[in-house]
Amino acid sequence: MASSTVRVALRIRPLSPSEHLNGETECVTQLPDVPQIVIGADRAFTFDHVFSPEVAQEQVYDESIKPLVSQFLQGYNATILAYGGKTFSMGTGPSSADTESQGVVPRAISEIWNHLEQRAQGGLTYSIDVSFLELYNEDLIDLLNPRAAAAGSGRGPSIREDSRGNMVLVGVERQRARAQTDILELLHQGALSRTTASTDMNRTSSRSHAIFTVHLRQQDRRSSALLGDGEAGMDGGPSIVSKIHFVDLAGSERIKRTGAAGDRAREGISINAGLLALGNVISALGTASAERGPRRAPHVPYRDSKLTRLLQDSLGGNSQTLMLACISPSSRNSSESLNTIRYANRA
């Protein structure tokens, strides 16, 4: 296990063609041989990983995401939080035939499936279920069952805690995946139902947080001793259960800069409240990790928002968490990039 349960990676995207045409300059500098950047003249920040615009998708995945996938396959919960301009890095947009440009989510799904298929030849039995939730204005919406939300039943998904302290979602449709393509199709199906809107900074700005979860149950038919004291398995023996969350966080673009008004402004307030609660939880977990010993562990405010409540059993403890923050190097976006960097730096 890694010594820290929370790690942070910062990715700097290239200047876009329109930014080049407008003559915009870069305001972010990556220091050589250290995971550190300087924004503006003298604001320096250090992270666990820093990826320059030239870094390929494969390297981003191998260095920052692959260790969490490995832990997930060993039976630990994991959470990957994407923040900032992250659609390209995560690969949650339209599928690309170019494998080199695949984002971290398709790469993780491919590695998970190939690993399990290989182990199945040696006696492993496994099942994979998928869920996809949207948190919009503090209301949970099942993106794999959008008709339920459209019907306006007034009773959306809710969060409960079982006797073991695990978070249980009531009223959420978990779909069984019988092939790797099933998982990708469910990912894209849910993404199409997500709430977006146009702001002055982004034509399709995410107006909600989205949580795509892969639930895994494994059982080794050859030796139940390998699995320890797990839950009752598919064949009646012990099994191990784990899950990995891919969380697409809505950006905390400032209302004045985005030109938001009315419903858009209220959405922004709700988004910012959820991000603040998540930042407080990550900060508390980082403090607890750094201060292991006889001192009393700091309080972790999981109950301050539905987002942190939902992720509670996959943050801290034996779970592994990575925040992947993506920023623009453009001087025009320097204030928003600095806000993103400061938020990620709290971890």
Side-chain angles (χ1 to χ4, degrees), residues 79-333:
T79 300
I80 297 163
L81 304 161
Y83 184 66
K86 67 280 177 185
T87 301
F88 176 70
S89 292
M90 291 297 281
T92 53
S95 180
S96 171
D98 181 7
T99 55
E100 289 187 5
S101 66
Q102 276 188 337
V104 300
V105 178
R107 288 176 187 274
I109 290 169
S110 177
E111 180 170 355
I112 290 166
W113 195 269
N114 291 338
H115 174 89
L116 294 171
E117 283 290 281
Q118 184 176 7
R119 287 199 59 203
Q121 298 175 12
L124 179 77
T125 301
Y126 69 90
S127 66
I128 288 181
D129 293 329
V130 170
S131 63
F132 202 173
L133 290 173
E134 177 181 50
L135 183 58
Y136 175 69
N137 282 344
E138 281 299 290
D139 290 327
L140 285 171
I141 300 169
D142 187 349
L143 293 175
L144 298 184
N145 188 20
R147 293 181 180 178
S153 62
R155 295 193 65 182
S158 59
I159 306 169
R160 299 284 185 270
E161 186 172 351
D162 66 16
S163 58
R164 299 185 179 185
N166 298 315
M167 295 300 106
V168 178
L169 291 166
V170 180
V172 173
E173 186 167 319
R174 278 170 55 165
Q175 298 204 14
R176 178 63 50 89
R178 305 188 186 281
Q180 179 180 328
T181 52
D182 291 348
I183 307 176
L184 294 172
E185 287 173 5
L186 291 168
L187 172 65
H188 297 139
Q189 172 192 326
L192 291 173
S193 301
R194 192 175 173 195
T195 303
T196 62
S198 176
T199 70
D200 287 352
M201 287 189 66
N202 190 340
R203 286 183 302 171
T204 56
S205 174
S206 301
R207 310 312 297 162
S208 64
H209 307 302
I211 305 97
F212 182 74
T213 306
V214 177
H215 307 263
L216 172 64
R217 181 184 293 267
Q218 305 176 71
Q219 182 183 20
D220 194 327
R221 295 191 300 266
R222 297 171 306 167
S223 174
S224 61
L226 293 175
L227 299 168
D229 298 324
E231 298 181 8
M234 291 163 280
D235 298 328
S239 67
I240 53 175
V241 178
S242 58
K243 58 187 172 183
I244 185 168
H245 298 292
F246 298 94
V247 185
D248 188 340
L249 297 169
S252 62
E253 299 161 340
R254 291 180 298 177
I255 291 174
K256 181 178 179 180
R257 177 79 190 276
T258 58
D263 288 344
R264 300 288 86 81
R266 285 189 288 274
E267 291 166 357
I269 293 170
S270 176
I271 289 168
N272 289 342
L275 290 172
L276 175 62
L278 178 62
N280 290 339
V281 165
I282 291 176
S283 181
L285 290 171
T287 301
S289 178
E291 295 183 356
R292 287 174 180 168
R295 294 182 60 181
R296 182 179 178 182
H299 169 67
V300 181
Y302 290 114
R303 295 180 179 272
D304 284 359
S305 78
K306 283 187 179 178
L307 177 63
T308 51
R309 184 76 171 143
L310 176 64
L311 300 175
Q312 179 174 339
D313 60 358
S314 298
L315 297 171
N318 287 329
S319 302
Q320 295 289 299
T321 302
L322 174 86
M323 176 176 286
L324 176 61
C326 305
I327 63 168
S328 163
S330 169
S331 55
R332 182 177 182 273
N333 295 325

